[in-house]
């Protein structure tokens, strides 16, 4: 039986930390489904719109060899619904979220992967600004 992995993120100003977590998420199973957060969700979450639109971010993520399916994550509260909708067996999150999704462990296995050190979208934006 094939194992479906699901993960979530903004993936704005796509960088190597994003690529590595997606590749590692895919390596945790046979099929990788990625929830790309909407522009609206980002404005609500971070107080600013992403640099790239949700359609552009989704197009980049969809083009990756390790990604099988992309959908838009409309709300942070709907992870359980998304896990069910996509029949996910494993939820992968970066360890900046460690412990935060343990309540979903009745639905699927939860794996927190170590983030790639010293890179983030915020840092890249800061670097370009300087
Ligand atoms: N991620 C990672 N290593 C990094 C940066 C991000 O593994 N250095 C992972 C996150 O843990 C998450 C996914 O990539 O699972 C998407 O993260 P996202 O929030 O879109 O990227 P960040 O670079 O963390 O963005 P920001 O600086 O805006 O918080």
């Amino acid at each position: 039986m094939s194992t479906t992995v699901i993960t979530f993120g903004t993936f704005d100003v796509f960088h190597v930390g994003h690529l590595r977590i997606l590749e590692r998420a895919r390596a945790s199973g046979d099929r990788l489904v990625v929830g790309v957060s909407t522009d609206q969700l980002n404005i609500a979450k971070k107080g600013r719109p992403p640099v790239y639109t949700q359609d552009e971010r989704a197009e980049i993520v969809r083009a990756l060899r390790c990604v099988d399916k992309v959908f838009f994550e409309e709300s942070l509260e709907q992870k359980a619904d998304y896990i069910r909708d996509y029949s996910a067996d494993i939820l992968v999150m970066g360890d900046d979220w460690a412990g935060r999704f343990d309540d979903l462990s009745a639905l699927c296995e939860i794996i927190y992967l170590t983030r790639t050190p010293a890179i983030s979208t915020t840092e890249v934006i800061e670097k370009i600004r300087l």
Side-chain angles (χ1 to χ4, degrees):
M1 214 189 75
S2 91
T3 304
T4 298
V5 183
I6 194 167
T7 193
F8 297 87
T10 307
F11 305 103
D12 190 24
V13 189
F14 197 87
H15 59 69
V16 74
H18 294 148
L19 179 62
R20 287 182 189 158
I21 201 159
L22 291 173
E23 286 181 332
R24 289 160 69 211
R26 175 63 178 74
S28 306
D30 305 304
R31 181 171 173 263
L32 178 60
V33 178
V34 183
V36 170
S37 55
T38 60
D39 295 337
Q40 252 342 96
L41 179 55
N42 274 274
I43 291 165
K45 200 169 66 173
K46 297 187 180 174
R48 60 166 173 81
V51 173
Y52 296 129
T53 66
Q54 62 191 52
D55 288 339
E56 292 165 336
R57 291 181 286 111
E59 190 176 336
I60 290 167
V61 172
R62 194 177 295 116
L64 300 172
R65 204 162 33 205
C66 58
V67 173
D68 297 287
K69 165 92 189 153
V70 170
F71 69 94
F72 287 119
E73 180 185 26
E74 310 264 356
S75 155
L76 294 178
E77 318 307 322
Q78 282 176 30
K79 289 218 169 37
D81 297 328
Y82 297 130
I83 289 168
R84 284 193 206 97
D85 290 351
Y86 293 100
S87 305
D89 303 291
I90 303 175
L91 168 64
V92 164
M93 297 296 295
D95 64 358
D96 44 329
W97 295 95
R100 298 268 290 280
F101 295 102
D102 290 357
D103 55 323
L104 298 172
S105 59
L107 290 177
C108 67
E109 185 184 345
I110 320 285
I111 300 178
Y112 301 100
L113 293 178
T114 323
R115 280 170 68 93
T116 300
I119 188 160
S120 70
T121 297
T122 308
E123 276 182 50
V124 173
I125 292 171
E126 285 304 310
K127 214 184 259 185
I128 294 167
R129 269 213 182 109
L130 287 177

